[in-house]
Amino acid sequence: MEPPAGTAGVDRPYCAWCGAARAQGDHAACDRRLATVDPPRHCPLCARRMVVQVDPMGWTARCSRHGESAGTNGFA
Amino acid sequence: MTAVDPSSTAEDTAQAAGGDILAVAREQVLERGEGLSQEQVLAVLQLPTDRLHEALALAHEVRMRHCGPEVEVEGIVSLKTGGCPEDCHFCSQSGLFESPVRAAWLDVDRLVEAAKQTAKTGATEFCIVAAVRGPDAKLMEQVRAGIAAIRAEVDINVACSLGMLTQEQVDELAAMGVHRYNHNLETARSHFPEVVTTHSWEERWETLQMVRAAGMEVCCGGIVGMGETLDQRAEFAVQLAELEPDEVPLNFLIPNPGTPFAHLEVPQGADALRTVAAFRLALPRTVLRFAGGRELTLGDLGAEQGMLGGVNAIIVGNYLTNLGRPAEQDLDMLESLKMPIKALNDTL
């Protein structure tokens, strides 16, 4: 994933799949989904639900606070 | 169509189906081209795992004889995502559930770009999909503009999936040059009320009949693993056969968070492959397409087994709200299996 503009190098405290804090709970299953069949649905910086558009070769996700990110298959 | 005693064993079913089901299917389906009955499909679905390879091999023979070696490749894109008023229990795009999927619209420029990306893979079909009960005037206008722009720039058949249609909308889509219309029955008629309550299986059937009468190709399939019994899965296969669709897309449930089916298990690979073989033996001449969910259910090896077990079409790239394998990975798989991609001039 290309991080939202202006956030390169910043830690991602939230799970992009379930939106919960990564420091709490086990997110292995979330990570598996993100690596195979799901684009990020929550902003990894603030946990807001993002507006996501999937197209045949990639996806874009827009957080109302942190801007747009994009990727191809799989979110790592 | 007769219901099957749910307490019957695989042996009971095989006897009712006329003896060893694969021997029967070889004569009936491969030699005579007649699809299996509900009882016979159930017997295939109940085959022990040590006979799965044999069932897939027969289904592959049927596909090669009645459909040929070519594989039809398609790409799909969501034109209007989320906010749907219907309650399809598998769908993350329903506005009635607490799903993380938010509403989004795709503009015409990005729609054309998606069609171009799809055509570059060698695909002959590009399907425009909207999460709606049926299209309103705004959506029909977006579809009209999108199709006109695609036809001006991209050499590919355009398909649509816009929910339930009125006769006027069917006629409009046919006039726009829509090649194929997708509207999935999703599951067996007897199981449908457990999956959707905001509209009926019969309403979907009516749209499909109008689509066919207007001269568009009919694409109709469903999702495996939504809590249906094997008997209901067999029922669904023969109901699809009665419809005589040009294409059947076969999806495997992806349990999506926030939906009523979030708690269901991902279908098991062996069950999914039995279903692939059984559907091919029920539908010997239909385009049978791998669609969503194969990545979780089958993985890479299972996808190859399915392609060698009756499947003769594939959606490449991503789906509507879920991601697929990279298109190149599927194209490499087809090349390694020596399966040629169907050319555009063979689809018209």
Side-chain angles (χ1 to χ4, degrees), chain B residues 182-203:
Chain B
N182 165 263
H183 196 41
N184 290 338
L185 288 167
E186 305 299 4
T187 192
R189 187 176 187 172
S190 68
H191 189 54
F192 193 85
E194 308 302 316
V195 178
V196 183
T197 68
T198 47
H199 61 269
S200 68
W201 195 91
E202 289 74 13
E203 287 176 274

Side-chain angles (χ1 to χ4, degrees), chain B residues 259-275:
Chain B
T259 66
F261 286 169
H263 66 287
L264 294 180
E265 297 288 330
V266 171
Q268 294 297 305
D271 259 358
L273 290 172
R274 270 189 211 92
T275 304

Side-chain angles (χ1 to χ4, degrees), chain B residues 27 296 347:
Chain B
E27 171 57 29
L296 287 181
T347 65

